[in-house]
Amino acid sequence: MKKIILLGLSMLFSMSISAKDIKTVVVTTQPQMHCENCENRIKGNLRFEKGVKKIETNIEKQQVTITYDAEKTNPETIVNSFEKFGYTATEMGNPIYGITVKDASGQDLSLSNYSGKVLLIVNTATRCGFTPQYKELEALYEKYNAQGFEILDFPCNQFGEQAPGTIQEIHEFCTANFDIRFQQFEKIDVNGPDESPLFTYLKSQQGFGGFDLTDQKGMLMDQMLRRQDTEYDKKPDIKWNFTKFLVSREGRVLKRYEPTDKVSDIEVDIQKQLK
Protein backbone atom coordinates (compact mmCIF):
# COMPACT_ATOMS: atom_id res chain seq x y z
CA MET A 1 0.00 0.00 0.00
CA LYS A 2 2.83 2.40 0.89
CA LYS A 3 4.51 1.73 -2.45
CA ILE A 4 1.27 2.49 -4.31
CA ILE A 5 0.76 5.76 -2.42
CA LEU A 6 4.36 6.82 -2.99
CA LEU A 7 4.10 5.97 -6.68
CA GLY A 8 0.90 8.00 -6.96
CA LEU A 9 2.51 11.00 -5.27
CA SER A 10 5.54 10.68 -7.50
CA MET A 11 3.39 10.63 -10.62
CA LEU A 12 1.36 13.61 -9.41
CA PHE A 13 4.53 15.56 -8.68
CA SER A 14 6.03 14.79 -12.09
CA MET A 15 2.78 15.73 -13.83
CA SER A 16 2.65 19.12 -12.12
CA ILE A 17 6.27 19.79 -13.04
CA SER A 18 5.89 18.81 -16.69
CA ALA A 19 2.72 20.86 -17.09
CA LYS A 20 4.78 23.98 -16.48
CA ASP A 21 7.19 22.99 -19.25
CA ILE A 22 4.66 22.21 -21.99
CA LYS A 23 5.37 24.47 -24.99
CA THR A 24 4.34 24.68 -28.63
CA VAL A 25 6.06 25.43 -31.90
CA VAL A 26 4.31 26.11 -35.23
CA VAL A 27 6.11 25.39 -38.51
CA THR A 28 5.56 25.44 -42.25
CA THR A 29 7.07 22.73 -44.44
CA GLN A 30 8.70 22.26 -47.81
CA PRO A 31 7.50 20.43 -49.77
CA GLN A 32 4.02 21.52 -48.82
CA MET A 33 1.33 19.18 -47.53
CA HIS A 34 -1.10 18.27 -50.31
CA CYS A 35 -3.13 15.38 -48.94
CA GLU A 36 -4.00 13.28 -45.92
CA ASN A 37 -1.07 10.98 -46.68
CA CYS A 38 1.31 13.93 -46.25
CA GLU A 39 -0.26 14.74 -42.88
CA ASN A 40 -0.04 11.13 -41.75
CA ARG A 41 3.59 10.89 -42.83
CA ILE A 42 4.53 13.94 -40.76
CA LYS A 43 2.57 12.79 -37.71
CA GLY A 44 3.85 9.25 -38.00
CA ASN A 45 7.48 10.37 -37.96
CA LEU A 46 7.26 13.18 -35.42
CA ARG A 47 5.52 11.06 -32.79
CA PHE A 48 8.77 9.13 -32.27
CA GLU A 49 10.75 12.28 -31.49
CA LYS A 50 11.77 12.66 -27.86
CA GLY A 51 9.58 15.08 -25.90
CA VAL A 52 6.89 15.47 -28.58
CA LYS A 53 3.45 15.17 -26.98
CA LYS A 54 0.94 16.26 -29.64
CA ILE A 55 0.97 17.00 -33.39
CA GLU A 56 -1.70 18.91 -35.31
CA THR A 57 -1.62 19.55 -39.06
CA ASN A 58 -3.58 22.09 -41.12
CA ILE A 59 -3.34 21.73 -44.90
CA GLU A 60 -5.35 24.90 -45.58
CA LYS A 61 -2.89 27.05 -43.61
CA GLN A 62 0.10 24.82 -44.37
CA GLN A 63 0.98 24.62 -40.68
CA VAL A 64 2.13 21.93 -38.31
CA THR A 65 1.67 22.63 -34.59
CA ILE A 66 3.79 20.55 -32.23
CA THR A 67 3.24 20.49 -28.47
CA TYR A 68 6.36 19.38 -26.61
CA ASP A 69 7.99 18.98 -23.21
CA ALA A 70 10.58 21.73 -22.89
CA GLU A 71 12.56 19.62 -20.42
CA LYS A 72 13.19 17.00 -23.11
CA THR A 73 13.47 18.92 -26.38
CA ASN A 74 13.36 22.41 -27.96
CA PRO A 75 12.06 24.11 -31.13
CA GLU A 76 15.39 23.88 -32.97
CA THR A 77 15.62 20.12 -32.43
CA ILE A 78 12.02 19.64 -33.56
CA VAL A 79 12.51 21.79 -36.68
CA ASN A 80 15.69 19.89 -37.60
CA SER A 81 13.96 16.52 -37.11
CA PHE A 82 11.84 17.12 -40.24
CA GLU A 83 14.94 16.51 -42.35
CA LYS A 84 14.94 12.85 -41.29
CA PHE A 85 11.85 12.20 -43.38
CA GLY A 86 12.45 14.50 -46.34
CA TYR A 87 11.00 17.84 -45.25
CA THR A 88 12.42 21.26 -44.49
CA ALA A 89 10.59 23.05 -41.66
CA THR A 90 10.51 26.76 -40.84
CA GLU A 91 9.29 27.97 -37.45
CA MET A 92 6.34 30.39 -37.43
CA GLY A 93 5.12 32.71 -34.73
CA ASN A 94 1.54 32.58 -33.44
CA PRO A 95 -0.05 36.08 -33.60
CA ILE A 96 -1.15 36.13 -29.98
CA TYR A 97 2.38 35.37 -28.78
CA GLY A 98 3.66 38.43 -30.61
CA ILE A 99 1.49 40.73 -28.48
CA THR A 100 3.00 42.62 -25.55
CA VAL A 101 0.91 43.82 -22.60
CA LYS A 102 1.75 45.69 -19.40
CA ASP A 103 1.64 43.91 -16.07
CA ALA A 104 0.30 45.44 -12.85
CA SER A 105 3.61 47.23 -12.25
CA GLY A 106 3.59 48.79 -15.72
CA GLN A 107 6.32 46.55 -17.11
CA ASP A 108 6.08 45.13 -20.64
CA LEU A 109 5.27 41.42 -20.76
CA SER A 110 5.20 39.33 -23.92
CA LEU A 111 2.39 36.82 -24.16
CA SER A 112 4.96 34.39 -25.55
CA ASN A 113 5.64 33.69 -21.87
CA TYR A 114 2.33 31.81 -21.88
CA SER A 115 3.09 29.59 -24.86
CA GLY A 116 1.97 26.06 -24.02
CA LYS A 117 -0.56 27.22 -21.44
CA VAL A 118 -4.34 27.08 -21.62
CA LEU A 119 -5.50 30.67 -21.04
CA LEU A 120 -8.72 32.31 -19.95
CA ILE A 121 -8.45 36.04 -20.73
CA VAL A 122 -11.05 38.28 -19.09
CA ASN A 123 -11.87 41.98 -18.78
CA THR A 124 -13.00 42.70 -15.24
CA ALA A 125 -14.49 45.35 -12.96
CA THR A 126 -14.78 45.68 -9.19
CA ARG A 127 -18.16 47.41 -8.91
CA CYS A 128 -20.19 45.33 -11.33
CA GLY A 129 -23.05 42.93 -10.78
CA PHE A 130 -20.77 40.24 -12.21
CA THR A 131 -17.88 41.04 -9.83
CA PRO A 132 -18.66 37.97 -7.65
CA GLN A 133 -17.43 35.89 -10.60
CA TYR A 134 -13.96 36.60 -9.21
CA LYS A 135 -14.65 33.89 -6.64
CA GLU A 136 -15.50 31.32 -9.33
CA LEU A 137 -12.50 32.34 -11.42
CA GLU A 138 -10.15 31.92 -8.48
CA ALA A 139 -11.61 28.46 -7.83
CA LEU A 140 -10.86 27.50 -11.45
CA TYR A 141 -7.32 28.84 -11.13
CA GLU A 142 -6.58 26.92 -7.95
CA LYS A 143 -8.07 23.73 -9.38
CA TYR A 144 -6.27 23.70 -12.74
CA ASN A 145 -3.18 25.90 -12.50
CA ALA A 146 -0.85 22.95 -11.79
CA GLN A 147 -2.04 21.39 -15.07
CA GLY A 148 -0.95 24.40 -17.12
CA PHE A 149 -3.96 26.73 -16.83
CA GLU A 150 -3.65 30.51 -16.39
CA ILE A 151 -6.14 33.35 -15.99
CA LEU A 152 -5.12 36.76 -17.34
CA ASP A 153 -7.15 39.55 -15.74
CA PHE A 154 -7.41 42.94 -17.47
CA PRO A 155 -9.45 45.51 -15.50
CA CYS A 156 -11.44 47.86 -17.72
CA ASN A 157 -13.39 50.99 -16.77
CA GLN A 158 -15.33 51.37 -20.04
CA PHE A 159 -18.61 49.84 -18.87
CA GLY A 160 -20.46 52.06 -16.43
CA GLU A 161 -17.12 53.19 -14.97
CA GLN A 162 -17.28 50.12 -12.75
CA ALA A 163 -13.50 49.65 -12.43
CA PRO A 164 -12.42 52.92 -10.78
CA GLY A 165 -9.12 53.49 -9.04
CA THR A 166 -5.57 52.47 -9.78
CA ILE A 167 -4.51 48.94 -10.59
CA GLN A 168 -2.94 48.76 -7.12
CA GLU A 169 -6.29 49.68 -5.52
CA ILE A 170 -8.09 47.15 -7.72
CA HIS A 171 -5.59 44.44 -6.76
CA GLU A 172 -5.99 45.22 -3.06
CA PHE A 173 -9.78 44.96 -3.42
CA CYS A 174 -9.58 41.63 -5.23
CA THR A 175 -7.13 40.05 -2.80
CA ALA A 176 -9.04 41.32 0.25
CA ASN A 177 -12.46 40.17 -1.01
CA PHE A 178 -11.70 37.16 -3.20
CA ASP A 179 -8.11 36.20 -2.32
CA ILE A 180 -7.23 36.00 -6.01
CA ARG A 181 -3.84 34.62 -6.99
CA PHE A 182 -4.00 34.73 -10.79
CA GLN A 183 -2.19 37.52 -12.60
CA GLN A 184 -3.71 40.96 -13.01
CA PHE A 185 -2.55 43.46 -15.60
CA GLU A 186 -2.66 47.20 -16.11
CA LYS A 187 -6.09 48.73 -16.76
CA ILE A 188 -6.95 48.84 -20.46
CA ASP A 189 -9.64 49.77 -22.97
CA VAL A 190 -11.17 46.82 -24.80
CA ASN A 191 -13.12 48.86 -27.38
CA GLY A 192 -12.45 52.05 -29.30
CA PRO A 193 -9.42 53.95 -30.60
CA ASP A 194 -7.29 53.20 -27.54
CA GLU A 195 -8.23 49.54 -27.19
CA SER A 196 -5.57 47.00 -26.31
CA PRO A 197 -4.09 45.18 -29.34
CA LEU A 198 -4.75 41.96 -27.44
CA PHE A 199 -8.48 42.54 -27.42
CA THR A 200 -8.42 43.73 -31.03
CA TYR A 201 -6.97 40.32 -31.89
CA LEU A 202 -9.31 38.36 -29.61
CA LYS A 203 -12.37 40.02 -31.14
CA SER A 204 -11.09 39.32 -34.65
CA GLN A 205 -10.94 35.63 -33.79
CA GLN A 206 -14.20 35.29 -31.86
CA GLY A 207 -17.03 37.76 -32.42
CA PHE A 208 -20.13 38.23 -30.31
CA GLY A 209 -22.23 35.07 -30.28
CA GLY A 210 -25.26 36.47 -28.48
CA PHE A 211 -26.73 36.22 -24.99
CA ASP A 212 -28.84 33.30 -23.82
CA LEU A 213 -32.28 34.92 -24.00
CA THR A 214 -33.83 32.10 -21.97
CA ASP A 215 -31.68 33.30 -19.05
CA GLN A 216 -32.94 36.32 -17.08
CA LYS A 217 -29.54 38.03 -16.94
CA GLY A 218 -29.04 37.42 -20.65
CA MET A 219 -32.43 38.88 -21.44
CA LEU A 220 -31.75 41.97 -19.30
CA MET A 221 -28.36 42.52 -20.96
CA ASP A 222 -29.96 42.23 -24.40
CA GLN A 223 -32.68 44.73 -23.51
CA MET A 224 -30.21 47.24 -22.04
CA LEU A 225 -27.80 47.10 -24.98
CA ARG A 226 -30.54 47.10 -27.63
CA ARG A 227 -31.92 50.35 -26.23
CA GLN A 228 -28.48 51.87 -26.85
CA ASP A 229 -27.96 50.26 -30.27
CA THR A 230 -30.61 48.20 -32.06
CA GLU A 231 -27.91 46.36 -34.01
CA TYR A 232 -25.45 45.86 -31.14
CA ASP A 233 -25.48 42.08 -31.64
CA LYS A 234 -24.07 42.37 -35.17
CA LYS A 235 -20.79 43.89 -33.93
CA PRO A 236 -17.82 42.01 -32.44
CA ASP A 237 -17.02 44.57 -29.74
CA ILE A 238 -16.92 43.63 -26.06
CA LYS A 239 -20.39 44.15 -24.60
CA TRP A 240 -19.70 44.29 -20.86
CA ASN A 241 -17.43 43.39 -17.98
CA PHE A 242 -16.34 39.77 -17.52
CA THR A 243 -16.27 38.78 -21.18
CA LYS A 244 -13.89 35.83 -21.45
CA PHE A 245 -11.79 34.18 -24.16
CA LEU A 246 -10.41 30.64 -24.00
CA VAL A 247 -7.02 30.18 -25.69
CA SER A 248 -5.46 26.78 -26.40
CA ARG A 249 -1.92 25.68 -25.58
CA GLU A 250 -1.11 26.38 -29.23
CA GLY A 251 -2.34 29.99 -29.03
CA ARG A 252 -5.64 29.51 -30.85
CA VAL A 253 -8.60 31.57 -29.63
CA LEU A 254 -11.11 28.77 -29.20
CA LYS A 255 -14.19 30.35 -27.73
CA ARG A 256 -15.71 33.55 -26.38
CA TYR A 257 -17.97 33.65 -23.33
CA GLU A 258 -20.27 36.50 -22.46
CA PRO A 259 -20.59 37.59 -18.80
CA THR A 260 -23.92 35.78 -18.47
CA ASP A 261 -22.42 32.41 -19.49
CA LYS A 262 -22.04 29.97 -16.62
CA VAL A 263 -18.52 29.45 -15.29
CA SER A 264 -19.40 25.76 -14.86
CA ASP A 265 -19.82 25.52 -18.66
CA ILE A 266 -16.46 27.23 -19.17
CA GLU A 267 -14.87 24.70 -16.82
CA VAL A 268 -15.95 21.83 -19.09
CA ASP A 269 -14.16 23.46 -22.03
CA ILE A 270 -11.05 24.06 -19.92
CA GLN A 271 -10.96 20.41 -18.91
CA LYS A 272 -11.05 19.34 -22.57
CA GLN A 273 -8.03 21.51 -23.37
CA LEU A 274 -6.01 20.22 -20.43
CA LYS A 275 -6.35 16.58 -21.42
Side-chain angles (χ1 to χ4, degrees):
M1 176 64 75
K2 289 182 179 179
K3 288 184 178 179
I4 293 174
I5 293 172
L6 287 171
L7 178 60
L9 289 171
S10 175
M11 289 176 64
L12 180 61
F13 179 75
S14 63
M15 285 173 63
S16 65
I17 293 296
S18 62
K20 296 179 182 179
D21 293 298
I22 298 300
K23 303 290 183 182
T24 60
V25 59
V26 183
V27 304
T28 57
T29 64
Q30 286 293 334
Q32 293 186 341
M33 297 178 289
H34 297 291
C35 61
E36 186 176 342
N37 287 338
C38 298
E39 293 181 290
N40 291 337
R41 182 182 177 190
I42 289 172
K43 289 179 179 178
N45 283 277
L46 282 179
R47 67 189 180 93
F48 293 110
E49 292 297 317
K50 182 179 179 180
V52 171
K53 303 185 73 67
K54 184 179 178 183
I55 307 139
E56 294 180 296
T57 54
N58 187 317
I59 289 182
E60 183 180 351
K61 295 183 178 179
Q62 287 298 311
Q63 294 179 1
V64 183
T65 303
I66 305 104
T67 304
Y68 64 93
D69 184 341
E71 286 191 337
K72 298 179 180 179
T73 188
N74 56 69
E76 184 179 0
T77 299
I78 292 171
V79 168
N80 291 339
S81 70
F82 278 75
E83 296 179 2
K84 298 177 184 178
F85 46 96
Y87 283 85
T88 299
T90 303
E91 184 177 353
M92 297 178 62
N94 191 301
I96 198 167
Y97 296 138
I99 296 173
T100 297
V101 295
K102 290 189 181 296
D103 65 18
S105 62
Q107 299 297 310
D108 286 344
L109 179 67
S110 171
L111 292 183
S112 62
N113 287 286
Y114 295 100
S115 173
K117 305 286 188 180
V118 175
L119 306 178
L120 190 67
I121 301 174
V122 53
N123 64 291
T124 60
T126 51
R127 296 184 182 178
C128 176
F130 296 108
T131 297
Q133 287 188 13
Y134 264 122
K135 182 177 181 180
E136 294 177 277
L137 292 173
E138 176 59 25
L140 286 179
Y141 178 75
E142 292 183 15
K143 189 173 182 179
Y144 298 110
N145 176 246
Q147 298 178 42
F149 172 67
E150 297 284 350
I151 294 176
L152 309 187
D153 173 7
F154 292 86
C156 174
N157 199 38
Q158 285 188 290
F159 305 100
E161 297 185 344
Q162 294 178 345
T166 66
I167 182 58
Q168 289 75 25
E169 292 169 332
I170 289 171
H171 184 68
E172 288 173 5
F173 170 88
C174 291
T175 52
N177 290 276
F178 304 104
D179 194 25
I180 69 159
R181 302 176 190 179
F182 50 81
Q183 187 159 3
Q184 290 187 301
F185 295 81
E186 192 172 81
K187 287 173 68 173
I188 60 167
D189 284 355
V190 296
N191 294 326
D194 297 321
E195 70 183 35
S196 163
L198 171 59
F199 276 80
T200 301
Y201 178 70
L202 293 172
K203 291 184 291 183
S204 74
Q205 298 300 297
Q206 295 290 340
F208 177 63
F211 294 112
D212 180 2
L213 298 182
T214 64
D215 176 81
Q216 185 178 14
K217 289 182 179 179
M219 183 174 62
L220 291 173
M221 288 294 298
D222 175 73
Q223 291 173 351
M224 177 186 72
L225 294 170
R226 203 169 292 282
R227 283 196 294 269
Q228 300 171 11
D229 180 357
T230 57
E231 296 192 339
Y232 87 92
D233 54 333
K234 296 179 174 61
K235 302 169 185 176
D237 58 327
I238 304 299
K239 307 306 178 189
W240 205 252
N241 307 307
F242 289 89
T243 301
K244 307 165 192 73
F245 294 87
L246 183 64
V247 179
S248 74
R249 291 189 190 273
E250 298 78 28
R252 297 194 307 276
V253 185
L254 300 171
K255 200 166 181 179
R256 170 174 167 166
Y257 308 93
E258 301 310 318
T260 55
D261 290 337
K262 295 178 181 178
V263 173
S264 57
D265 291 338
I266 300 174
E267 182 174 10
V268 173
D269 292 335
I270 291 168
Q271 290 172 337
K272 292 176 183 177
Q273 292 304 308
L274 291 172
K275 288 181 179 178

